[in-house]
């Protein structure tokens, strides 16, 4: 649920900007004027993303090989708290992004081990699909196959917000017995599978908006620490996409 609780850059060529990613919103670059340490670059952001993913995978391997429910929950709650801190205190992203990656890794390693015990080979498939989608959409964005127009951004933003509302409702319902059936990874109905496919598509399209948002920051001379913040925002989307692919694959295998 934290992925849904956690882009108007008021800059040239990006006056009216929206994104479903809570870390990359209209106010992200507002008041980000401290450029004493240099300016944000695409290469620098890519390097930060790579380092963050390495940290995430390292801690994920720990809980994968040493399953622990308390550690997994600590990672989930701790990651959520660090994400909120980073969103409200963007200049701290230089320090908090790697902490967030490490905590999310603890959670993802544990939850991945749970799925692996239920469904053979599902984790490897989910990892491959997540990175395949990332590379494919990055290529589509750079070659202008997909152009993030204002209508495109608005549509993705609205769909993401709608999904967030559904997940919030399901989270609240879980306190009274069970959440929405379509959220259950074991629900193999066609409607539930269709919903998961829709969520995976929307999560994937958020990557396009993240690419556009990060490129806008680099082109308009955002401060250097925003490289870490851009990496943080992209990491949120990748974690969300991976989890949704896991759920979709679980539902598909449950039909066998």
């Amino acid at each position: 649920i934290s992925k849904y609780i956690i882009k108007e850059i008021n800059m040239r060529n990006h006056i009216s900007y929206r994104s479903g990613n809570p870390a990359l919103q209209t106010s992200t670059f507002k008041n980000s004027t401290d450029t004493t340490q240099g300016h944000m670059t695409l290469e620098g952001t890519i390097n930060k993303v790579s380092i963050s993913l390495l940290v995430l995978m390292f801690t994920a391997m720990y809980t994968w090989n040493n399953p622990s429910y308390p550690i997994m929950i600590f990672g989930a709650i701790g990651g959520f708290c660090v994400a909120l801190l980073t969103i409200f205190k963007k200049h701290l992203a230089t320090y908090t992004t790697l902490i967030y990656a490490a905590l999310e890794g603890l959670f993802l390693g544990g939850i991945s081990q749970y799925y692996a015990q239920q469904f053979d080979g599902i984790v490897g498939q989910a990892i491959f699909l997540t990175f395949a989608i990332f590379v494919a959409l990055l290529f589509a964005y750079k070659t202008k196959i997909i152009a993030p127009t204002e209508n495109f951004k608005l549509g993705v933003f609205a769909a993401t917000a709608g999904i967030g509302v559904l997940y919030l409702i399901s989270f609240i319902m879980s306190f009274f017995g069970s959440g929405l059936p379509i959220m259950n990874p074991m629900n193999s109905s066609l409607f539930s599978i269709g919903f998961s496919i829709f969520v995976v598509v929307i999560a994937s399209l958020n990557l396009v908006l993240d690419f556009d948002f990060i490129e806008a920051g680099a082109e308009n001379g955002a401060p250097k620490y925003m490289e870490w913040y851009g990496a943080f925002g992209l990491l949120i989307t990748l974690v969300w996409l991976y989890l949704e692919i896991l759920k979709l694959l679980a539902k598909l295998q449950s039909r066998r």
Side-chain angles (χ1 to χ4, degrees), residues 161-174:
I163 293 169
V165 170
L166 285 178
Y167 270 82
L168 180 59
I169 292 173
S170 183
F171 178 73
I172 295 173
M173 288 177 60
S174 67

Side-chain angles (χ1 to χ4, degrees), residues 28-252:
T28 297
F29 293 103
K30 185 178 181 180
N31 298 325
S32 299
T33 58
D34 181 10
T35 58
T36 56
Q37 301 301 316
H39 296 278
M40 178 182 184
T41 65
L42 284 176
E43 181 180 2
T45 305
I46 292 171
N47 290 337
K48 271 66 172 183
V49 171
S50 301
I51 294 171
S52 300
L53 286 174
L54 285 174
V55 170
L56 185 149
M57 288 187 288
F58 179 80
T59 56
M61 287 180 62
Y62 175 80
T63 46
W64 170 267
N65 294 317
N66 303 279
S68 171
Y69 185 74
I71 292 179
M72 185 183 75
I73 295 303
F74 169 74
I77 296 176
F80 176 53
C81 293
V82 172
L84 288 179
L85 175 63
T86 307
I87 289 171
F88 289 108
K89 299 291 184 179
K90 299 175 181 61
H91 63 283
L92 295 178
T94 303
Y95 314 102
T96 59
T97 299
L98 293 183
I99 297 174
Y100 171 78
L103 291 168
E104 283 298 304
L106 293 176
F107 170 68
L108 292 181
I111 197 68
S112 296
Q113 181 60 251
Y114 168 79
Y115 276 99
Q117 292 173 2
Q118 304 296 318
F119 307 99
D120 185 46
I122 193 175
V123 173
Q125 296 171 17
I127 293 174
F128 172 79
L129 286 173
T130 299
F131 281 97
I133 291 172
F134 175 81
V135 172
L137 288 179
L138 179 58
F139 174 80
Y141 172 76
K142 296 302 293 184
T143 57
K144 307 302 180 182
I145 294 175
I146 297 180
T149 64
E150 292 307 312
N151 287 336
F152 176 89
K153 297 170 186 176
L154 180 59
V156 174
F157 173 80
T160 305
I163 293 169
V165 170
L166 285 178
Y167 270 82
L168 180 59
I169 292 173
S170 183
F171 178 73
I172 295 173
M173 288 177 60
S174 67
F175 289 102
F176 302 95
S178 62
L180 292 173
I182 57 173
M183 306 294 183
N184 189 340
M186 304 302 174
N187 184 347
S188 59
S189 70
L190 291 177
F191 182 72
S192 180
I193 290 174
F195 174 77
S196 284
I197 291 175
F198 174 74
V199 175
V200 168
V201 169
I202 297 303
S204 300
L205 293 179
N206 266 276
L207 287 173
V208 177
L209 302 193
D210 293 348
F211 299 150
D212 186 56
F213 200 83
I214 291 171
E215 187 174 59
E219 289 177 350
N220 289 279
K224 192 70 174 177
Y225 69 82
M226 292 302 288
E227 292 179 350
W228 281 108
Y229 192 81
F232 163 73
L234 191 57
L235 203 61
I236 287 179
T237 303
L238 286 172
V239 168
W240 177 31
L241 177 60
Y242 171 72
L243 290 172
E244 294 302 334
I245 290 176
L246 267 182
K247 292 179 184 178
L248 174 59
L249 293 177
K251 292 177 181 181
L252 291 173

